[in-house]
Amino acid sequence: MRLENLNFDARDPRRLADFWAAALGAEPLTDNEAGVEVRLPLAGGRFLDLCFERVTDPSPAKSRLHPDLTGGDGQRQQDVVERLLGLGATPADIGQGDVPWVVLADPEGNAFCVMDERPAYRDSGPIAALALESADPERDADFWAVTTELVRVEGEAPASLRHPSGTGPLLEFLAEAGPKRGKNRMHLDVRPGPDDGPVASRLLALGATVVADDPELPWTVYADPSGNEFCILAPTD
């Protein structure tokens, strides 16, 4: 199964997509009334699509998933920050205190980080990591290793996954600051391949729960063992 999408709930999908496409160098993909998609090319011909779904009232709860962008040492990090501010980002204080990374918010208030230089993020591309809060990072890393094509690696977080090629963003599992409250404004989408077979029973056995299953939609919404929403998309042919 392939980790395919980073999905944002958005009041103005086109505006938010324009910001993130410019921030990451992503390519336009689809644009309609339901939402907008852009594609971030990754090493080895892989990709991560960023999907911006129109939502009238995005959840006011803090999202437990956020992107960490590649920065660098000193001036390189500051240059990235200045460029993002010029695109419409704003400084954000989420209680981070004195840390070597910089916290910003996108035009709809979604917090993200611009990271300092770290060996673990080498060859990640513009997104160093996707950081997900977890009630049990070790357990959830095992869950997502089965749910995606990613494998365990040494990283900066309590537990981390990455593509077997050693390129692309890490999926990091951070100890949660508190219990999940409300819907995450960002979530991941996974697409099974033709040889993956039925996945529902495997996910449920690993601790997932079904959140929404509409037979008219080509995806099913689940929550991982820590309650973080994700979607299983229709399988590829």
Side-chain angles (χ1 to χ4, degrees), residues 71 79 91 98 154 168 178 183 185-186 189 200 218 228:
D79 289 345
D98 184 15
E154 290 295 323
K183 180 180 182 291
R185 293 176 66 167
M186 284 181 250
D189 294 340
N228 298 302

Side-chain angles (χ1 to χ4, degrees), residues 51-220:
C51 305
F52 304 87
E53 181 181 355
R54 187 178 303 279
V55 175
T56 302
D57 294 306
S59 172
K62 170 183 174 288
S63 183
R64 289 154 55 98
L65 173 66
H66 72 266
D68 288 339
L69 304 195
T70 302
D73 279 336
Q75 189 59 49
R76 284 190 299 163
Q77 183 188 44
Q78 190 57 40
D79 289 345
V80 173
V81 169
E82 291 299 326
R83 187 174 71 84
L84 293 166
L85 293 173
L87 293 173
T90 53
D93 185 350
I94 57 172
Q96 66 268 24
D98 184 15
V99 293
W101 58 87
V102 179
V103 183
L104 302 176
D106 71 16
E108 293 208 1
N110 299 300
F112 64 96
C113 302
V114 179
M115 301 305 295
D116 51 304
E117 184 71 21
R118 302 187 184 200
Y121 299 146
R122 190 172 295 120
D123 298 324
S124 289
I127 300 180
L130 300 170
L132 184 63
E133 289 190 23
S134 163
D136 185 335
E138 288 290 332
R139 176 200 64 193
D140 288 351
D142 287 342
F143 173 87
W144 281 93
V146 174
T147 308
T148 66
E149 78 280 30
L150 307 181
V151 297
R152 286 280 198 136
V153 294
E154 290 295 323
E156 301 289 335
S160 299
L161 302 177
R162 200 178 201 183
H163 190 268
S165 66
T167 63
L170 279 74
L171 180 56
E172 296 184 332
F173 299 88
L174 311 178
E176 63 184 12
K180 183 175 184 292
R181 301 184 186 279
K183 180 180 182 291
N184 287 340
R185 293 176 66 167
M186 284 181 250
H187 70 265
L188 301 173
D189 294 340
V190 176
R191 190 178 298 278
D195 299 325
D196 286 318
V199 300
S201 59
R202 277 186 284 158
L203 295 176
L204 296 174
L206 291 167
T209 55
V210 177
V211 176
D213 186 7
D214 185 338
E216 296 187 2
L217 296 176
W219 61 76
T220 301

Side-chain angles (χ1 to χ4, degrees), residues 4-18:
E4 184 164 312
N5 301 333
L6 172 60
N7 199 301
F8 294 69
D9 289 351
R11 292 186 179 88
D12 187 340
R14 189 169 292 108
R15 179 190 182 207
L16 201 56
D18 286 347

